[in-house]
Amino acid sequence: MSDDTIYPTDDTQPGSPPDTHTRSSRPSELLADGGQNTGADTDTTAVPASARQDVLSDDALQRSFPDYQGQIVESRRLPPEPADTVPADDVLRSELAAQMAYDLFTHQAEALRKLETGDNVVTTTSTSSGKTWIYALQAARNHLQDDQATALCLYPMKALSRDQEQELNTKLRDDWGLDLSVGVYDGDTPSDRKRRIRNDCNLLITNPAGLNAYLPRHARDGGWARFYKHLELVVVDEAHEYTGITGTHVAWILRRLRRVAAHYDSRPQFSMTTATIGNPAAHARRLTGLEFGVVEDDGSPRGRRDIVLWEPPVDWDQVADDDTDGQAAPDGDADQLSDFEDARRSTGSEAAKVTAHLGMNDTQTLQFCSARQGTEIAARQIVDAADSHSRSGRVDAEAYHAGLGKRTRRGVENQLKAGQVDAVASTNALELGIDIGSVGATVTSGYPGTRQSFWQQVGRAGRGESDALSVLVGSTDAMDAYILDNPEYLFSGSVENAVVSIDNANVYADHVLAAAADFPLTDDDASFLGGHDRLEGMVEMWQDAGVLESTSSLDSLGGVVYTGDPRPQSRISMYGTRDMEYVVVCRDGDIDHDPVAPERAHRDYHEGALFLHAGQQYEVVDIHRDARIPRIHVETADTGLYTQTLSQKSISNLQPRDHRSLDGGIDLYFGQGTVDVTYNEYVVRTVSTGELVEGPLPTGSPPLTLHTDLLWVSLPADHIDTTLDRLDEPLLEPTDRAGRDPLVPEGEKRYTYGGGIHAAEHGVIQLAPLELLIDNNDIGGLSMPEHPDEAIPGPVWFVHDGIDGGIGFTRSIFDNFETILRRTREHIAGCDCGQRRGCPMCIMSEDCGNQNDPLDRVTGQLIIDDVIAALDSEAGSSDDESTSEPTE
Amino acid sequence: MLPEHLPSSDTPLLELLVVPGAAVREYDADPTVADAVSATDADAVLPVPPHENVAAQRLLHAVEQPVLRADRGMRPSTVATPDGELVVVAAPAPAPDTLPETPADLGPAETTPRRVVVVSNAFEMRVVPRNRETVLDGLAAYLAEIPDAWQPSPDDSAETPAVVHASTTVEAGHTTTQQLPAAAAGRQSGTGSRTADPPGSAAEVSVDILGVGQASNMGAAADTTSHDLLHTTLYASGHVTTTPLDPGNFGLHAVEQVGDARADTLRSHGVRTVTQLRDMSVDAVANTLDTGQATARTVTTSAEALTTGTIVRTSAASLPDDPVFIDVETDGLGASVAWLVGVLDGGSDSDAYYPFRQQTPGDPTAHLEGFATWLQGIPRSRPLVAWNGYGFDFDILTEQFREHCPDRLEEWESRRTFDPLYWARNSNNAVLPGRSNRLEAVAEAIGWEPQTSGVDGETAATIYTRWRDAATTADPGEDIPEPDWGRLEAYCEDDVRALATIYEAIGDAPVRTAGGEDDASTGRQGSLSDFS
Ligand SMILES: [Zn+2]
Ligand SMILES: [Zn+2]
């Protein structure tokens, strides 16, 4: 291993260094000895280096893949890209440039030049493009300028922190011979080591939740005071991770950091890195409140890359609960989702077969499992699949996830690097920049939800100019179905926008309080903390509540002092927008589960709920709501059953903030309102047939009131009739199922129309993540033929943030509504199911609180068509009042 | 209610122990809460949410003092001072059925109380960040419900008792005076006088509000899952102080090395009180708890310290000689200033108490300079001693020197410091008898009595901040009313003398090391290697 390569990795370089230290010769031969066998057994012909593609050629698959049925629906080859470089001494001062064995990639040079002029920089190049170099070199430059200079590096995961500590130490100290110290400071750091780091450390590594807790310590500790006084660089790595609720908290923690630094007369520069996202400058600004220069032209080299889309076979005859063919379901209470629940599980075993096949062909493969799948199970499936492969041989497979001990994880990382393991089944933990060297192929089991994430996974195969292969094995939901039908979506230029909002009032209020505990608030803080008016209003609220000194004001001499219970920042949950979160505790084993916001706990973790986590089924047995730390107690289960939560929801107090008045009496609104939802009942069904086993049973979940962001599409009162007039008679008949379901609205027309508008609501929510980095588990919807609000004349459908106070998701859907709606239309129309009620691959949703009833695919299309037509001829007004932060 | 001007002296009239139901669920009514009642000399206990009804049931059996119930019941429960001047009445909602017609009807026949505190759960404080306001939900409806004579009225005559409206769903210790329209009934009221018309306008009445419990919708401001007991003292002046008490410091939990599991084990062997535990032999404790001799010895020693109000040293380590005691007053927990540095040079009966106090609102430096200059005359060998100094005072002073007198920082940082709390608790050198780590609790447990009352750190901070703010907003040349500095300096003096008392008691305390023999002679020696 070479210590002086500036090879395009965020980490160390596998294989031997080239003999000659010139940049232009660090090419593919460097990887030729990287442990990759190019598959000598396959039919390698005159075309060189395409062996891996051949492994998945129709020929090869027909010959050796068990029961191959033509699963490959798309195969693309991306051409190689050469490296683009700049001599190091063009950019760096000579003493540093002299330490560089290679030239810099152009994007590294560009970022360093921007940093030199004082700009903040966000770099959004590919996974292995050497982004660490940028901030390591900047820290080095700062150090050479002033040996007291400090830097703060924030990583989203503890595992990443340890990895980067080693990496930065190697670069800065060993390679470049600098006398500066690097230390990880988090909950795992022993306290004596913490003291040493505070007192001496130049480059401190932690995570945002840790920083939230450590910020107020500056006033009590000379070490922290020293650190902030000399703080010149703040690194925010993997910033695309900070979206949604977490993003909102991180945005305020970073503002509090800037405020504490300013208290010590420091104005640190920010160097941010993110995976490829559509809006790097805006995202960086939202997270920090600062302007950023963007570096996105990737100068790192890339080898040839094959991308294969693989569709597991779905047997439509098996799935038939289809009115169109006159066949009723065997049991009236059966649920169609069950077939897909089954199929969804089989995605994992299909992926394992592909991974095994690649392993058998000497291609080291990293398989990314979905959140529900267990990596241990997947690893076993891979070994088993290899055993039943047509060719003889075996495949070694290991599991990797964040819940493993540090040593185990490091062991697997090393095995990967050394080529000692054929296949590793991993969670998305390995998506981030942990050093695993180079693998030959990746298999993604189920679309990871975003293009950003998908390409991040793809980027894990093939370092530098070596060739690589990536396979996406589709799962059975609307997004996967859309992508397998529209592969172009993956390859088209744009990627999703990261969505983060600082508008959530609850989160803001809590961080204002935490900031007051960092040190007293004054007018000078307005620029960090949301502007004068917003800050003053919130300060007054807390003064009235008795936790900020009530006789002072922002222009008082000593500022406004925090007087409440100690450590308010410790009561901020990074997983929610209220002051509480539930922790998940397993009674009969370990479970590595993030804390759960109440909004999700009430729906998915009520007593009796069954859920899959990391491949293991669990049952919720007990909930301690008023324990010191609220707890959800679970036990492992293996039932062959699943649960569905039913809900009752109403929406009121609508306050439009933004309005588009469209042709034909159609109106599109964004605003705030009250969502009252009770997850009051649940049913238990069998996985195999969907048969109702028990229920509805009470959940015991208390009612939930959300004051949150909504968008709503309001249609004219006569739209029901005009739509139904366009339908053929058979489509006006309720389905057999509808006739039996007491929850379905009365009246054939209402059933059919209600099913249509419900389908439109589901479709938009399910496909929104195709445009935006949002988690649609945190989005809710409601559709109804009429609504009590006076301003709503007729049918309406709502989309709302599922989190109290809103997290910007619905706002971003509103801003991209046309694109999302067009995709929804296209997808619903094209679904292979051909069923009137649709299927989970188009309009059915497992989060539906009404058991996916009523649903009507054809009517849904008509409704969406009308809205699209109205958008096309939009002549209406727009009164945009979206909140925006004052410029800082 | 903090009076506009602190009276020159104040007398505690009634002591309440506020008990969140969660504390009773997690610990026991008996002996934990019962022990806390006797330790605080409480006149009554008040169960508050969550689960206050469960707590009330259990407390009725566990304590002799009245249990005030604001949650349910047919009639109000009361507790009064012996002279009947102050009455606390808990009135289950809806109040009209349960409150007597006038507050005067509460007292014994001939006495009319001067002040009455009505406790209910009828209104709740919560914050509404989206509207940037704090509201008292249900206050207006509550006021509309209570009998006329209990209503706040614009014309306060001395004839009628002053009524304070307390709620178990407002954060304990929180006080506010609300200006409400005289006909406020049926409306939700915002809090804070800034939203209302100026006080005194004809259509307005003042309502005095007191929090005696936990609010549940306060964002990060409040620990809604806290199990702390709250010791609330009502003073003659109308001033109220509230001190949180960790229930883990009472009952068997108060004993060092005894947590939930060991307390359970002891109870299952019939050991329910600390006194019983003290009377057991070390061997018996070791057997019962299935633990080693060293742990068992700590248990019995701690039980002894607690029941006899003495300090017991558990190591041969000694205290440094010639201490200088200091105590710092600040403007709050997230302190931006140390406006008073109280110094006691010598023992607990020394005359040499020096309060270095900020004299000018805009100048946080001069008195620090004064302190630093005085320190120069003190030999470096003498340790500066502060209670919880490593957690608060020393850090604050370092920060203040860094910010305001950087040229004094090095000198300050070179001084020897010593924190007896840290030495005793964290370094396991002594067992203290207090029911909390608070200076006053430990000092009072060994028999020290304060010379001042009605002031605590929070009150002092509030008074200081008011003065500073008044000065900031004053017109040029305008006179700023000075607080009673003497009183605040005396409070600080109390604290350093309490500290000196504890320090001396530690020095005189018997030593029980693993050998078991008492040895009081190892008191203060010259060996200082432990404290560098
Ligand atoms: Zn479908
Ligand atoms: Zn639905």
Side-chain angles (χ1 to χ4, degrees):
Chain A
M1 175 176 308
S2 162
D3 284 335
D4 55 5
T5 49
I6 184 169
Y7 197 74
T9 67
D10 275 343
D11 27 57
T12 45
Q13 175 58 31
S16 319
D19 292 330
T20 158
H21 277 192
T22 59
R23 177 52 203 253
S24 49
S25 73
R26 356 170 219 175
S28 50
E29 69 262 28
L30 197 123
L31 274 215
D33 58 357
Q36 301 303 326
N37 183 313
T38 47
D41 296 324
T42 51
D43 294 342
T44 325
T45 56
V47 186
S50 62
R52 289 194 191 107
Q53 166 71 354
D54 293 345
V55 170
L56 291 185
S57 71
D58 249 21
D59 243 18
L61 289 165
Q62 295 289 1
R63 231 174 327 115
S64 65
F65 195 87
D67 297 329
Y68 182 68
Q69 303 172 31
Q71 285 97 325
I72 292 182
V73 296
E74 179 75 17
S75 186
R76 296 263 179 131
R77 172 162 297 181
L78 309 181
E81 302 267 4
D84 220 343
T85 62
V86 174
D89 46 16
D90 280 9
V91 184
L92 299 171
R93 51 198 293 160
S94 54
E95 62 227 274
L96 206 49
Q99 304 293 330
M100 300 298 116
Y102 298 111
D103 296 346
L104 297 173
F105 292 130
T106 45
H107 64 274
Q108 293 169 334
E110 187 189 350
L112 285 162
R113 285 197 180 109
K114 283 186 154 69
L115 286 167
E116 191 163 35
T117 64
D119 286 354
N120 302 299
V121 172
V122 53
T123 309
T124 171
T125 51
S126 63
T127 315
S128 309
S129 59
K131 285 182 278 195
T132 303
W133 286 84
I134 295 168
Y135 53 78
L137 282 169
Q138 181 62 18
R141 285 203 296 210
N142 289 343
H143 177 75
L144 290 172
Q145 195 79 33
D146 168 9
D147 63 6
Q148 303 226 63
T150 60
L152 176 68
C153 294
L154 297 170
Y155 297 98
M157 278 168 38
K158 280 185 189 169
L160 205 52
S161 297
R162 310 283 153 183
D163 201 65
Q164 292 294 309
E165 177 186 31
Q166 198 176 10
E167 173 66 12
L168 287 164
N169 258 319
T170 305
K171 281 191 172 69
L172 291 160
R173 295 176 63 90
D174 304 349
D175 297 353
W176 306 338
L178 298 172
D179 180 26
L180 49 69
S181 72
V182 178
V184 175
Y185 195 99
D186 61 26
D188 298 339
T189 310
S191 59
D192 55 332
R193 169 131 182 86
K194 275 189 174 172
R195 192 172 323 114
R196 258 180 290 137
I197 291 175
R198 289 198 301 268
N199 289 336
D200 306 321
C201 184
N202 301 95
L203 203 155
L204 189 146
I205 297 172
T206 188
N207 55 71
L211 184 60
N212 172 51
Y214 307 137
L215 273 175
R217 296 300 303 169
H218 73 93
R220 300 292 169 77
D221 185 277
W224 278 123
R226 167 202 71 90
F227 182 81
Y228 292 119
K229 186 175 279 172
H230 299 104
L231 184 60
E232 293 190 12
L233 179 67
V234 176
V235 174
V236 182
D237 200 32
E238 313 273 11
H240 59 276
E241 292 278 305
Y242 304 134
T243 63
I245 300 173
T246 314
T248 304
H249 284 288
V250 170
W252 288 117
I253 291 166
L254 292 176
R255 282 163 176 77
R256 282 169 50 208
L257 166 68
R258 289 179 49 218
R259 173 176 178 260
V260 169
H263 185 62
Y264 292 92
D265 296 324
S266 299
R267 297 186 73 81
Q269 239 179 330
F270 278 73
S271 173
M272 192 177 284
T273 65
T274 111
T276 313
I277 52 174
N279 58 341
H283 185 57
R285 186 173 59 236
R286 275 268 141 145
L287 281 179
T288 61
L290 296 168
E291 295 300 324
F292 276 73
V294 175
V295 175
E296 51 193 350
D297 292 334
D298 197 336
S300 66
R302 185 177 75 190
R304 190 195 333 270
R305 188 179 283 291
D306 289 310
I307 310 276
V308 170
L309 305 192
W310 183 286
E311 183 174 30
V314 174
D315 184 352
W316 286 106
D317 295 337
Q318 291 267 306
V319 179
D321 167 23
D322 196 354
D323 306 287
T324 52
D325 66 9
Q327 295 266 315
D331 181 301
D333 288 323
D335 184 82
Q336 207 183 11
L337 282 169
S338 70
D339 299 302
F340 291 90
E341 188 74 20
D342 237 6
R344 205 170 280 133
R345 286 171 194 220
S346 73
T347 302
S349 58
E350 187 80 2
K353 283 187 203 169
V354 176
T355 303
H357 179 77
L358 293 168
M360 300 292 285
N361 286 285
D362 299 319
T363 303
Q364 193 186 39
T365 302
L366 185 56
Q367 177 181 321
F368 288 100
C369 303
S370 74
R372 302 161 154 251
Q373 290 169 315
T375 53
E376 272 96 2
I377 293 171
R380 213 160 51 228
Q381 284 175 329
I382 293 166
V383 173
D384 291 349
D387 287 347
S388 51
H389 196 265
S390 341
R391 297 237 309 268
S392 62
R394 59 183 310 274
V395 164
D396 298 324
E398 296 284 351
Y400 187 99
H401 56 88
L404 294 171
K406 206 188 309 177
R407 193 170 306 184
T408 313
R409 278 202 316 262
R410 191 53 54 90
V412 176
E413 290 160 19
N414 288 334
Q415 277 180 294
L416 269 171
K417 272 187 265 195
Q420 290 165 345
V421 62
D422 303 316
V424 168
S426 172
T427 59
N428 60 4
L430 279 184
E431 223 176 277
L432 303 180
I434 289 170
D435 177 19
I436 51 162
S438 155
V439 294
T442 63
V443 171
T444 295
S445 172
Y447 182 61
T450 63
R451 275 177 289 200
Q452 170 266 315
S453 184
F454 173 72
W455 285 109
Q456 188 93 345
Q457 294 182 0
V458 166
R460 287 314 227 156
R463 287 299 165 113
E465 292 168 39
S466 69
D467 294 346
L469 167 64
S470 292
V471 183
L472 168 64
V473 178
S475 177
T476 50
D477 63 27
M479 279 218 281
D480 289 55
Y482 180 90
I483 287 158
L484 294 180
D485 284 351
N486 304 279
E488 196 51 41
Y489 168 80
L490 281 179
F491 302 98
S492 68
S494 69
V495 281
E496 301 91 345
N497 284 351
V499 179
V500 67
S501 161
I502 54 166
D503 293 339
N504 187 295
N506 301 348
V507 175
Y508 175 62
D510 285 352
H511 283 284
V512 166
L513 211 53
D518 292 340
F519 61 91
L521 298 166
T522 66
D523 270 332
D524 295 345
D525 299 321
S527 63
F528 301 110
L529 299 174
H532 181 269
D533 292 354
R534 197 179 179 198
L535 178 61
E536 189 178 59
M538 212 48 100
V539 164
E540 288 178 1
M541 179 190 86
W542 286 127
Q543 287 178 320
D544 289 346
V547 292
L548 293 182
E549 174 52 56
S550 60
T551 56
S552 27
S553 62
L554 289 171
D555 54 10
S556 302
L557 192 59
V560 180
V561 180
Y562 178 73
T563 58
D565 292 347
R567 302 194 301 125
Q569 73 285 346
S570 69
R571 292 185 287 277
I572 295 175
S573 161
M574 301 283 287
Y575 297 92
T577 61
R578 315 194 208 211
D579 59 321
M580 77 178 300
E581 63 187 24
Y582 289 82
V583 297
V584 180
V585 182
C586 185
R587 284 245 174 98
D588 57 350
D590 289 334
I591 184 168
D592 178 40
H593 198 298
D594 282 341
V596 182
E599 289 90 337
R600 278 208 192 174
H602 290 202
R603 183 184 71 199
D604 300 335
Y605 300 86
H606 56 80
E607 219 169 289
L610 294 165
F611 66 97
L612 265 180
H613 178 74
Q616 171 67 51
Q617 190 181 42
Y618 295 89
E619 178 177 357
V620 176
V621 291
D622 197 11
I623 299 169
H624 289 203
R625 292 187 204 285
D626 45 54
R628 180 169 277 273
I629 296 161
R631 288 188 297 268
I632 297 165
H633 289 273
V634 303
E635 283 175 4
T636 53
D638 184 11
T639 59
L641 304 172
Y642 67 99
T643 54
Q644 275 181 316
T645 310
L646 314 181
S647 62
Q648 289 181 341
K649 190 183 279 185
S650 66
I651 288 176
S652 56
N653 296 327
L654 290 170
Q655 293 166 338
R657 301 277 182 240
D658 202 341
H659 174 207
R660 292 167 72 182
S661 171
L662 310 177
D663 272 6
I666 297 175
D667 290 278
L668 178 60
Y669 292 93
F670 172 80
Q672 277 86 42
T674 305
V675 179
D676 283 291
V677 57
T678 310
Y679 299 104
N680 51 337
E681 292 179 324
Y682 70 104
V683 294
V684 187
R685 295 178 184 278
T686 60
V687 170
S688 56
T689 66
E691 199 177 333
L692 184 70
V693 177
E694 236 187 325
L697 302 167
T699 59
S701 293
L704 203 58
T705 298
L706 309 176
H707 301 281
T708 195
D709 291 349
L710 304 100
L711 75 78
W712 59 104
V713 182
S714 164
L715 298 148
D718 64 0
H719 197 252
I720 299 181
D721 289 335
T722 57
T723 304
L724 295 179
D725 285 349
R726 286 180 278 168
L727 290 168
D728 293 336
E729 197 59 34
L731 284 170
L732 295 175
E733 289 296 317
T735 56
D736 184 37
R737 183 184 166 81
R740 279 181 279 107
D741 191 334
L743 293 173
V744 169
E746 285 171 33
E748 297 164 3
K749 293 179 170 184
R750 292 174 67 86
Y751 173 78
T752 301
Y753 189 87
I757 200 165
H758 192 191
E761 173 224 307
H762 275 196
V764 165
I765 293 173
Q766 302 208 89
L767 294 186
L770 289 170
E771 288 302 314
L772 305 161
L773 280 184
I774 58 183
D775 181 346
N776 56 12
N777 278 306
D778 288 332
I779 305 174
L782 183 69
S783 55
M784 48 215 307
E786 57 198 33
H787 188 276
D789 192 294
E790 284 176 3
I792 298 176
V796 62
W797 97 76
F798 294 92
V799 173
H800 67 83
D801 282 1
I803 299 291
D804 193 46
I807 42 175
F809 287 0
T810 298
R811 173 77 220 187
S812 61
I813 293 176
F814 178 84
D815 291 341
N816 294 275
F817 194 69
E818 208 164 330
T819 315
I820 294 168
L821 198 63
R822 280 180 199 286
R823 279 199 201 286
T824 307
R825 166 68 175 83
E826 175 189 359
H827 181 60
I828 294 179
C831 186
D832 291 338
C833 69
Q835 299 186 115
R836 191 170 153 197
R837 283 187 69 221
C839 72
M841 287 157 78
C842 53
I843 54 178
M844 285 187 177
S845 160
E846 53 179 322
D847 286 335
C848 181
N850 207 37
Q851 302 197 68
N852 286 300
D853 267 317
L855 277 179
D856 192 300
R857 202 161 62 100
V858 175
T859 314
Q861 285 170 49
L862 288 178
I863 294 171
I864 293 175
D865 281 343
D866 288 348
V867 179
I868 288 176
L871 284 165
D872 281 345
S873 62
E874 177 172 1
S877 65
S878 175
D879 39 348
D880 191 336
E881 292 174 25
S882 62
T883 49
S884 64
E885 198 176 12
T887 326
E888 292 168 22
Chain B
M1 259 98 294
L2 182 61
E4 202 55 45
H5 298 287
L6 204 60
S8 56
S9 76
D10 211 345
T11 319
L13 294 184
L14 273 180
E15 314 267 357
L16 296 182
L17 188 69
V18 174
V19 184
V24 176
R25 275 168 69 134
E26 193 90 352
Y27 297 88
D28 277 327
D30 182 24
T32 303
V33 179
D35 192 17
V37 169
S38 62
T40 54
D41 257 340
D43 299 296
V45 293
L46 172 66
V48 298
H51 313 298
E52 68 274 35
N53 50 346
V54 180
Q57 291 300 340
R58 300 197 192 161
L59 288 168
L60 281 170
H61 299 287
V63 301
E64 293 165 3
Q65 285 76 0
V67 176
L68 301 178
R69 298 201 59 172
D71 61 323
R72 61 178 61 177
M74 297 307 292
R75 62 190 61 199
S77 40
T78 61
V79 60
T81 52
D83 60 6
E85 292 259 298
L86 169 64
V87 181
V88 177
V89 51
D97 301 334
T98 53
L99 282 177
E101 201 162 308
T102 78
D105 299 340
L106 282 175
E110 301 83 44
T111 342
T112 300
R114 278 200 304 117
R115 286 196 305 130
V116 173
V117 178
V118 198
V119 183
S120 76
N121 59 3
F123 56 95
E124 179 186 15
M125 177 174 276
R126 57 187 178 86
V127 293
V128 188
R130 68 179 185 284
N131 300 336
R132 295 173 205 165
E133 64 175 358
T134 298
V135 297
L136 284 163
D137 252 355
L139 177 62
Y142 160 81
L143 292 174
E145 292 264 315
I146 56 176
D148 285 350
W150 295 80
Q151 299 278 355
S153 74
D155 51 344
D156 268 337
S157 67
E159 320 280 289
T160 52
V163 180
V164 174
H165 300 273
S167 171
T168 59
T169 45
V170 175
E171 203 67 12
H174 182 67
T175 60
T176 173
T177 299
Q178 297 286 302
Q179 304 299 330
L180 291 180
R187 248 188 283 157
Q188 185 187 76
S189 55
T191 94
S193 46
R194 71 175 59 80
T195 52
D197 298 330
S201 62
E204 295 228 317
V205 289
S206 296
V207 188
D208 287 333
I209 307 287
L210 169 66
V212 289
Q214 292 185 341
S216 49
N217 288 292
M218 298 289 289
D223 183 357
T224 51
T225 55
S226 166
H227 291 168
D228 281 353
L229 307 170
L230 300 152
H231 178 199
T232 295
T233 305
L234 307 171
Y235 288 87
S237 63
H239 185 40
V240 178
T241 58
T242 298
T243 309
L245 301 171
D246 181 351
N249 290 324
F250 299 94
L252 292 172
H253 289 90
V255 179
E256 286 192 23
Q257 299 286 346
V258 177
D260 288 347
R262 282 178 176 160
D264 283 347
T265 307
L266 288 168
R267 274 194 291 268
S268 71
H269 286 78
V271 182
R272 299 191 56 82
T273 67
V274 182
T275 313
Q276 283 174 293
L277 190 55
R278 177 197 63 193
D279 294 340
M280 290 170 73
S281 71
V282 171
D283 285 344
V285 172
N287 280 334
T288 309
L289 295 180
D290 192 20
T291 177
Q293 289 279 316
T295 302
R297 186 175 305 283
T298 304
V299 169
T300 52
T301 307
S302 170
E304 180 189 342
L306 284 166
T307 49
T308 58
T310 53
I311 293 169
V312 181
R313 290 162 59 192
T314 51
S315 81
S318 54
L319 298 176
D321 282 334
D322 266 346
V324 176
F325 300 103
I326 64 173
D327 182 53
V328 168
E329 299 303 327
T330 66
D331 56 352
L333 282 168
S336 69
V337 67
W339 56 270
L340 174 58
V341 183
V343 179
L344 183 67
D345 182 8
S348 58
D349 52 0
S350 161
D351 291 333
Y353 168 67
Y354 308 108
F356 294 95
R357 181 175 55 79
Q358 181 179 355
Q359 302 292 325
T360 316
D363 176 15
T365 308
H367 69 290
L368 281 179
E369 290 280 0
F371 171 57
T373 305
W374 180 84
L375 265 188
Q376 281 183 331
I378 299 293
R380 284 164 168 274
S381 60
R382 296 185 61 190
L384 305 181
V385 177
W387 188 257
N388 191 30
Y390 295 154
F392 193 72
D393 304 58
F394 297 138
D395 289 343
I396 298 286
L397 282 171
T398 304
E399 180 61 16
Q400 289 296 310
F401 277 114
R402 189 196 321 282
E403 201 169 329
H404 303 302
C405 324
D407 50 325
R408 300 285 202 160
L409 180 61
E410 200 180 329
E411 155 81 10
W412 162 254
E413 284 190 317
S414 71
R415 298 303 301 215
R416 277 179 52 203
T417 55
F418 183 78
D419 177 351
L421 174 64
Y422 186 90
W423 181 83
R425 288 265 155 95
N426 299 56
S427 308
N428 294 316
N429 287 312
V431 176
L432 305 173
R435 296 323 184 97
S436 82
N437 287 339
R438 289 177 52 251
L439 173 66
E440 292 81 357
V442 174
E444 285 177 28
I446 59 169
W448 170 83
E449 281 185 16
Q451 301 302 302
T452 57
S453 68
V455 185
D456 56 14
E458 203 180 314
T459 312
T462 304
I463 292 169
Y464 164 78
T465 317
R466 282 187 185 176
W467 169 70
R468 183 179 63 191
D469 294 339
T472 322
T473 51
D475 296 327
E478 185 183 330
D479 263 355
I480 307 147
E482 296 278 324
D484 182 353
W485 294 118
R487 182 95 192 282
L488 298 174
E489 287 168 4
Y491 157 70
C492 185
E493 179 175 356
D494 249 3
D495 272 3
V496 280
R497 289 194 190 282
L499 170 57
T501 308
I502 297 171
Y503 198 84
E504 289 159 7
I506 294 176
D508 295 338
V511 177
R512 305 265 165 73
T513 55
E517 70 278 14
D518 284 16
D519 182 2
S521 67
T522 52
R524 301 190 214 162
Q525 294 180 341
S527 161
L528 298 173
S529 55
D530 290 337
F531 318 113
S532 51

